[in-house]
């Protein structure tokens, strides 16, 4: 169960940079995307807290940041590059 919580934490870790990026792109919905970022940060930290009760913190932190970094990178490449190419 702790590993599932850790994966969920990592997925929420992807949400906050996504929210910041969307807030910078869409000024009309700025506040909603900032709220998305804040919620994602809180939930990510909470699920990491729950997971690290059973998983050593070093291991949990590496997996958590890895999911967040790789997920954010892939999302940026696949989604935002696609949008940029469509605008060009």
């Amino acid at each position: 169960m702790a590993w599932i919580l850790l994966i969920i934490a990592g997925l929420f870790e992807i949400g906050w940079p996504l929210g910041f990026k969307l807030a910078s792109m869409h000024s009309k919905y700025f506040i909603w995307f900032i709220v998305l970022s804040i919620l994602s940060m809180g939930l990510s930290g909470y699920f990491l807290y729950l997971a690290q009760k059973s998983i050593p913190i070093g291991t949990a932190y590496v997996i958590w940041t890895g999911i967040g970094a790789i997920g954010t990178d892939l999302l940026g490449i696949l989604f935002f590059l696609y949008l940029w190419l469509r605008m060009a």
Side-chain angles (χ1 to χ4, degrees):
M1 183 64 179
W3 287 99
I4 293 170
L5 294 172
L6 185 57
I7 291 169
I8 293 169
L11 293 174
F12 276 116
E13 184 70 4
I14 298 168
W16 68 265
L18 173 64
F20 286 153
K21 178 65 175 176
L22 292 172
S24 71
M25 292 174 64
H26 304 287
S27 59
K28 181 177 179 181
Y29 301 108
F30 172 82
I31 191 70
W32 295 110
F33 291 129
I34 294 299
V35 168
L36 169 71
S37 293
I38 293 168
L39 285 172
S40 292
M41 282 182 212
L43 289 170
S44 177
Y46 178 69
F47 283 109
L48 175 63
Y49 161 75
L50 293 176
Q52 62 85 32
K53 288 181 175 183
S54 301
I55 300 170
I57 189 61
T59 304
Y61 183 74
V62 167
I63 301 297
W64 177 65
T65 55
I67 292 170
I70 292 168
T72 301
D73 191 45
L74 290 175
L75 189 66
I77 290 169
L78 297 175
F79 183 67
F80 293 109
L81 180 61
Y82 172 76
L83 288 177
W84 181 75
L85 290 173
R86 281 187 42 138
M87 289 188 213

